[in-house]
Amino acid sequence: MLRKILLLANIILLVPTAAFAIEGEKTVFQSPGPEKSRLIINGVTDADAIKPLILDFQKIATDVTVEFNDYVSNDLFREAERACSTGQNYGDLLISSSADQLVKLANDGCAIPHSSAETDALASWANWRNEVFGFVFEPAVIVYDASRVPQADVPRSHADIADLLRRKPEEYRDRIGTYNIQLSGVGYLLAFHDALQAPTIYGRLLESFSRAEVVTGCCNNEVLDQIASGRLRIAYNILGSYAYAAFLKNPNLRVVIPRDYALILPRAALIPVKSQQTDLARRFIDYLLSSRGKRVAREEAFFLSEDDPLPEGVEGPASLIESGIGRPIRIGPALLAAQDRATRERFIRNWTALFTELDP
């Protein structure tokens, strides 16, 4: 079944996408007062996650209706790239956890710059050319079902997962989930940086994944839903906000920050070059970067940040950065390496080979 899924994914990747537009799942947040303007956001995040931020923004912008369209990261990137190359409008603001894809868009001249007190206050690694801004920073985590994974088996590092699958291959065969990096830009970005951080350990991990017939999915919630249903027991490289939101709904889930290192992924924003509401998009970015926006993001939307203590229920260090465990993925030109066509194709080809060239 895994081979069939990956074969289908390969076919999908070969189908030209410029010939048709992909529509995101639309959610409209009507203005509290009489509508005077509408902000269209195309993003890679669930509407439920961004909802608290939009509703709070509307408390200070009561005449603004916000239309939010939720996409898979690769679809958002392809549509934004197509719109930029053809000079068409593609919303007023782009938000994506695939920061490398937004950097690629900005590098190709598809972004409008924005400078303010809020953007100036950002760390240099969270602001590239005043065009791509990181506003939420969350670690990639391990999630497991405590009702079906004994404490002795709980992986607390990248090497632990590989070791577990070597020790108990049959028990966890087809019971581990992670991203399909062919279908997910976020999954590809995390895998690419895993390989940079610890190439030897990552190689062992991939080999163990291949032999254990790991289950791959396009999205965080797709994998988390399979843990909740009992289909999977452990999930790898899940974004912390999704993992913690799932934990709040399911007391059997546990969230672990890997002890060796934790990639910290910035959720980034960019104003596309054909934005029809540029000033409003700038205003929303400043809100996201403000102390008020950060507080709402931490308490109601994304739950984790690089500076604040981990919320109750997440196993990890008191401070991700000070402990040295947190490894921020910097928004900047280095991310262009991940989007180099030849590099990307070679990386995905090697990843795919490990999952398809299994022993009979």
Side-chain angles (χ1 to χ4, degrees):
M1 180 60 70
L2 177 61
R3 295 179 182 180
K4 290 179 180 179
I5 292 172
L6 288 172
L7 178 59
L8 177 60
N10 279 323
I11 294 172
I12 292 172
L13 288 174
L14 293 174
V15 176
T17 58
F20 58 91
I22 299 170
E23 293 187 4
E25 184 175 341
K26 180 189 296 187
T27 304
V28 176
F29 300 88
Q30 186 60 45
S31 61
E35 178 182 329
K36 292 185 179 179
S37 54
R38 177 174 291 235
L39 176 67
I40 299 177
I41 303 175
N42 293 324
V44 182
T45 184
D46 289 346
D48 286 344
I50 198 75
K51 178 179 179 179
L53 288 162
I54 292 175
L55 293 181
D56 189 61
F57 173 73
Q58 289 179 318
K59 291 178 181 178
I60 55 178
T62 58
D63 58 355
V64 177
T65 292
V66 178
E67 176 187 316
F68 181 77
N69 301 296
D70 180 19
Y71 288 81
V72 174
S73 52
N74 282 351
D75 290 346
L76 178 79
F77 175 61
R78 289 171 184 143
E79 289 298 286
E81 196 172 45
R82 180 187 62 81
C84 179
S85 65
T86 57
Q88 297 179 355
N89 168 253
Y90 185 58
D92 304 307
L93 183 66
L94 305 183
I95 292 176
S96 178
S97 41
S98 295
D100 57 328
Q101 293 179 338
L102 295 195
V103 168
K104 176 66 165 58
L105 289 170
N107 190 65
D108 291 345
C110 302
I112 294 176
H114 169 50
S115 179
S116 68
E118 287 77 8
T119 63
D120 291 344
L122 278 173
S124 59
W125 61 271
N127 179 354
W128 190 51
R129 301 193 323 193
N130 283 330
E131 294 178 344
V132 183
F133 310 98
F135 70 94
V136 172
F137 309 89
E138 52 187 346
V141 302
I142 300 167
V143 180
Y144 68 95
D145 182 347
S147 68
R148 303 173 72 234
V149 178
Q151 277 298 303
D153 290 355
V154 174
R156 292 184 168 87
S157 72
H158 296 79
D160 281 353
I161 301 179
D163 291 340
L164 175 64
L165 295 177
R166 287 176 183 271
R167 288 188 291 110
K168 298 184 177 181
E170 295 306 320
E171 189 167 343
Y172 288 96
R173 186 179 304 279
D174 201 29
R175 293 293 182 266
I176 308 273
T178 190
Y179 283 109
N180 183 327
I181 71 169
Q182 293 178 298
L183 304 180
S184 169
V186 179
Y188 168 73
L189 180 60
L190 291 174
F192 187 84
H193 281 267
D194 270 337
L196 293 177
Q197 286 289 335
T200 301
I201 292 176
Y202 187 61
R204 286 176 52 206
L205 183 61
L206 282 187
E207 181 184 1
S208 298
F209 276 172
S210 69
R211 296 189 178 279
E213 298 179 12
V214 67
V215 176
T216 61
C218 73
C219 325
N220 289 275
N221 283 338
E222 182 177 337
V223 177
L224 289 170
D225 287 347
Q226 292 194 65
I227 289 188
S229 70
R231 169 70 179 81
L232 300 177
R233 298 182 187 180
I234 298 173
Y236 169 72
N237 258 3
I238 299 298
L239 294 187
S241 62
Y242 291 93
Y244 189 70
F247 159 77
L248 293 177
K249 298 176 182 178
N250 184 350
N252 287 329
L253 295 189
R254 298 290 186 272
V255 181
V256 176
I257 305 292
R259 290 177 178 175
D260 46 353
Y261 72 89
L263 294 175
I264 299 181
L265 187 69
R267 196 175 296 268
L270 170 151
I271 304 173
V273 70
K274 291 296 182 178
S275 169
Q276 302 298 299
Q277 294 284 352
T278 305
D279 290 342
L280 194 53
R282 290 188 170 111
R283 187 178 175 187
F284 191 76
I285 287 177
D286 286 344
Y287 164 76
L288 293 175
L289 301 179
S290 70
S291 57
R292 175 172 178 163
K294 290 179 179 179
R295 177 185 58 78
V296 174
R298 182 180 65 252
E299 295 178 359
E300 303 180 43
F302 297 105
F303 309 114
L304 298 96
S305 73
E306 82 282 15
D307 296 324
D308 298 297
L310 295 173
E312 184 177 354
V314 178
E315 180 184 328
S319 170
L320 285 173
I321 300 299
E322 292 180 5
S323 68
I325 289 176
R327 310 286 172 86
I329 295 177
R330 296 175 174 270
I331 298 176
L335 285 181
L336 293 173
Q339 281 299 313
D340 175 75
R341 188 180 188 88
T343 299
R344 186 176 188 277
E345 289 178 352
R346 181 172 59 252
F347 189 92
I348 292 178
R349 184 170 60 250
N350 292 339
W351 181 90
T352 303
L354 283 171
F355 288 89
T356 55
E357 295 178 3
L358 303 178
D359 293 335

